[in-house]
Amino acid sequence: MLGFSNGGLHIDSVAKNSNFDLTDEQQKAMELLNSGENIFLTGGAGSGKSYVVRAFMQDKDPKTFPLLASTGAAAVLVGGRTFHSFFGLGIMEGGPVATFERASKEGRVLKRIAAVEGIIIDEISMIPLAAFEIAEKLSRLARQSSLPWGGMRVIIVGDFAQLPPVSRERKKEWCFRSPTWESTGLMNCTLTHNQRVQENDFLDVLADVRQGQVTSRVKTFLDNHLREHDQDDKSTRLFPRRDQSETHNKNELEEIGRPLHEIDSIYIGEAKYVEALKKASPVPEKLLLKEGAQVMFLQNDPQKRWVNGTRGTVVDISADKIIVEKKSGRDVTVDKAQFSYLNADGNIIASVINFPLTLAYATTIHKSQGATLDDLWVDLTRLWEPGQAYVALSRLKKSSGLKLLGWSPRSFIVDPEVISFYRRMEIVK
């Protein structure tokens, strides 16, 4: 069921896209995205938000309808720009007032904002409230209009029940707390059907966890998946911190008694932009692999042979291709891919070429967002961010893939404001 608020909308045209197999619910979302209205596309993990956006963007010019990501790494993966760079916000030195003053004097920033038809803001939960407000104010200035966002069309995508903005403040700076959210006049579109999980019991558990409710069925589920750690089991480990993930991957690779292949990434672009790309890119400067190593794909394959998060084992390594045996037993040939870093104007300023693979023994909960995993080991005893436990558990396609080292009710954190926000959405739809 989709939730529409801010009034009804009659749509005559149906946007069909032969390259995307949309469900009925996703098709209705596509109709709404093609309506010309400002939209908030939301839904739980695995509901297909990104898939619908890719379908919508296929016939759009990224110059006039750019996709803006919350982080540099996300922007590189989706081929978009960062929200902060597009609006000239930088790292917001000196606070919101100083940031607006600087950006408002940048003619190039104002010209860029004035030239677009609309924007898509992805992973909205990680965009800070202050940045959201400044961007809207700059849009009115650039487009010389008192309309919200200067009349520019805005499509917002994400789930506030997942990871929050990075902030030192105790109170999370969710965008929906801003008056700007209300004034944007968003029509709410909620995808409710999980495309990743087919088990009703598991779906019920995920629904409780998304709301921060450690119900009796959640407790039973978690207790039933507690396991003694098996070092020989090579299922992906999810860690809350990056150093833990990197150390585990390195140790596992060293245990494989086969020659090490060092595959250098090829960088294209000016040195200063290449350095920025190296910091943002999920692709390492030197990909270290061995035959027999467990790997994970970093992107969705246009031929649908794999998706972001698909795991497999390296069978053969050569200079221009790698053969990976997926968990299904099927061998796939992997060619090198190009990941590009775009400037605020949407022009490619640096690129990196390497295989779209990473070691799969471990990753962080943050980096796993958007990925689909068959199985994983995770410790849910010492988490500190809202949404972390939900993001970790919702990576799985099947509950049988969960190996839980421990859990604590204190790790199942959801901001009460998020719960209240979604309840208000349900009331008005």
Side-chain angles (χ1 to χ4, degrees), residues 5 100 146 152 171 179 200 205 216 223 285 296 332-333 384:
S5 68
F100 175 79
S146 60
M152 175 172 63
K171 193 176 182 68
N200 289 334
V205 167
S216 59
D223 287 341
E285 294 184 47
M296 183 187 302
V332 291
T333 299
W384 65 92

Side-chain angles (χ1 to χ4, degrees), residues 4 9 11-16 24 26-36 153:
F4 299 154
L9 181 69
I11 304 166
D12 294 318
S13 61
V14 176
K16 295 287 185 183
D24 289 344
Q26 291 171 340
Q27 186 61 52
K28 290 177 182 177
M30 274 288 288
E31 293 172 11
L32 197 60
L33 292 181
N34 282 303
S35 69
R153 189 167 180 222

Side-chain angles (χ1 to χ4, degrees), residues 33 79 166 234 306 332 419:
L33 292 181
V166 176
K234 303 306 181 186
W306 58 77
V332 291
I419 296 174

